[in-house]
Amino acid sequence: MPSPLRVIVFPGVQNLPSFAAEVNGFYSSKGLAVQTIFTQSSEQQRDGLADGIYDIAHSAIDNAVSMVDAAGKDVAIVIGLDRGFNKLIVQPEITSYDHLRGKTLGVDAPDTAFALIAYEMLRLKGLNPGDYKVKPIGATRFRLQALKDRTIDFSLLNLPFNLFAQRAGLKVLANPTEVIDEYQSAGAFVRRAWGEQNRDTLARYLAGYIEGLRWSLRPENREAAISLLQTRMDLERDVAEESFDQITDPARGFTKDARISHAGMVAVLKLRARFNSASLDSIPAPEKYLDESYYRAALAALG
């Protein structure tokens, strides 16, 4: 009998490793029945994981840090994936950071990863809290619609939504990598108690996920992977192709075997410390939020 797993994710091309693991049987061959749920917001994802509604969450790992530090939940990050594919998208008449004064920033939630990146980008350009408004909207697809409806003026959007935005006449003002180079963006996290109780199942899941990632990055699978993105996300060919080229870029795309960057984790913790007006000298070590034992077990199983 396959082990059931409930995995909650944000919609986006970052789910390609899981798509590949499903269609190529990497999960089922390891005795897993994976159910993927698309979240409406980071609050739904975090609360659902904490309450045991979901077993594994894939998201910006800052959400896991927030669960530990702000909500007192005992969760652990178990695998990484990328440094982020966001762009700062603005209304077409906005041509500079200075034009953002008095405007409305749309965020998933005010205290989560991409919101903190946006605040930092604005701070470095001379815009402080109070110089702009912040409006919680929810997941990226909702923020894109809010931009189209002009109920917000700017927002950070991930792939493929920043491509949709540009095709709708919205503009890219900046790239977060111009501000933050080494940053651990996406990853997966679990409740520590659940992980301990399901150690073998979690290791098998991560092994299947890594297999899906490896398959996605092999040059000979390019056409099949692009087709998979088209099918699973209902994308036009050019959007799927451009998204694929970005997430598989050797320098800026998915990291090898979804390794967690400890330096990238430090960048996440520094942003959160600044958001909370805490001293950067007092941030905890990344290991406080990690449990890489399942990842090591997965790699060992894959040989």
Side-chain angles (χ1 to χ4, degrees), residues 7-16 18-19 36-42 44-45 58-60 81-82 85-86 108 114 138-144 156-162 164 186 229 232-235 243 247:
V7 182
I8 186 163
V9 305
F10 278 89
V13 298
Q14 74 277 2
N15 295 309
L16 179 59
S18 283
F19 297 157
T36 300
I37 302 101
F38 288 131
T39 188
Q40 301 286 313
S41 67
S42 56
Q44 177 196 350
Q45 186 183 62
H58 284 265
S59 180
L81 183 62
D82 63 64
F85 304 103
N86 285 291
D108 171 18
F114 300 153
T140 314
R141 62 190 186 277
F142 303 128
R143 301 200 303 278
L144 172 59
L156 276 181
L157 301 186
N158 209 344
L159 282 173
F161 302 98
N162 54 46
F164 295 154
L229 284 177
R232 287 301 183 94
M233 297 202 62
D234 192 24
L235 301 179
S243 297
I247 63 180

Side-chain angles (χ1 to χ4, degrees), residues 86-104:
N86 285 291
K87 299 288 188 297
L88 186 62
I89 302 295
V90 300
Q91 296 293 347
E93 67 274 11
I94 294 172
T95 60
S96 70
Y97 276 93
D98 196 55
H99 289 167
L100 299 178
R101 293 184 185 276
K103 303 294 187 183
T104 300

Side-chain angles (χ1 to χ4, degrees), residues 1-294:
M1 184 73 174
S3 302
L5 282 176
R6 298 157 298 176
V7 182
I8 186 163
V9 305
F10 278 89
V13 298
Q14 74 277 2
N15 295 309
L16 179 59
S18 283
F19 297 157
E22 291 172 14
V23 301
N24 289 293
F26 302 144
Y27 288 149
S28 60
S29 67
K30 293 169 180 56
L32 302 174
V34 177
Q35 178 189 10
T36 300
I37 302 101
F38 288 131
T39 188
Q40 301 286 313
S41 67
S42 56
E43 282 98 339
Q44 177 196 350
Q45 186 183 62
R46 291 183 302 199
D47 292 346
L49 185 73
D51 293 341
I53 299 171
Y54 314 114
D55 303 313
I56 302 168
H58 284 265
S59 180
I61 56 91
D62 178 85
N63 282 300
V65 174
S66 176
M67 288 184 72
V68 173
D69 289 347
K73 304 299 182 181
D74 196 13
V75 302
I77 300 161
V78 295
I79 196 169
L81 183 62
D82 63 64
R83 285 174 269 183
F85 304 103
N86 285 291
K87 299 288 188 297
L88 186 62
I89 302 295
V90 300
Q91 296 293 347
E93 67 274 11
I94 294 172
T95 60
S96 70
Y97 276 93
D98 196 55
H99 289 167
L100 299 178
R101 293 184 185 276
K103 303 294 187 183
T104 300
L105 167 66
V107 299
D108 171 18
D111 62 343
T112 55
F114 300 153
L116 305 192
I117 293 175
Y119 304 154
E120 180 70 356
M121 296 173 73
L122 295 166
R123 183 187 72 84
L124 292 172
K125 293 297 182 178
L127 277 76
N128 298 307
D131 291 336
Y132 54 90
K133 307 180 193 73
V134 177
K135 184 174 183 178
I137 301 292
T140 314
R141 62 190 186 277
F142 303 128
R143 301 200 303 278
L144 172 59
Q145 189 59 52
L147 281 163
K148 290 180 178 179
D149 295 340
R150 301 187 71 92
T151 57
I152 60 173
D153 300 296
F154 62 113
S155 184
L156 276 181
L157 301 186
N158 209 344
L159 282 173
F161 302 98
N162 54 46
L163 299 178
F164 295 154
Q166 293 172 70
R167 282 157 175 75
L170 297 156
K171 287 171 34 180
V172 175
L173 182 64
N175 188 332
T177 58
E178 298 167 2
V179 176
I180 305 166
D181 183 32
E182 188 68 20
Y183 180 84
Q184 183 63 57
S185 181
F189 44 98
V190 301
R191 284 173 287 116
R192 286 186 188 268
W194 181 90
E196 285 296 331
Q197 294 163 8
N198 299 273
R199 177 167 289 275
D200 178 65
T201 300
L202 179 53
R204 282 186 282 131
Y205 170 80
L206 295 180
Y209 183 87
I210 293 167
E211 276 193 289
L213 174 58
R214 290 177 176 179
W215 178 91
S216 302
L217 295 177
R218 291 191 189 107
E220 64 269 24
N221 295 329
R222 173 185 167 82
E223 288 303 315
I226 290 172
S227 177
L228 185 56
L229 284 177
Q230 285 185 265
T231 302
R232 287 301 183 94
M233 297 202 62
D234 192 24
L235 301 179
E236 298 292 336
R237 165 73 192 199
D238 62 333
V239 173
E241 186 170 8
E242 187 169 349
S243 297
F244 179 82
D245 288 343
Q246 288 191 42
I247 63 180
T248 58
D249 180 276
R252 304 300 309 178
F254 292 155
T255 56
K256 178 178 171 59
D257 287 344
R259 285 194 302 257
I260 296 170
S261 165
H262 285 225
M265 283 289 303
V266 170
V268 171
L269 296 174
K270 285 182 176 179
L271 280 184
R272 180 155 287 280
R274 183 172 285 118
F275 174 71
N276 291 316
S277 301
S279 170
L280 298 185
D281 296 328
S282 63
I283 64 171
E287 286 76 12
K288 173 183 177 181
Y289 309 94
L290 305 176
D291 187 338
E292 297 178 271
S293 63
Y294 308 101

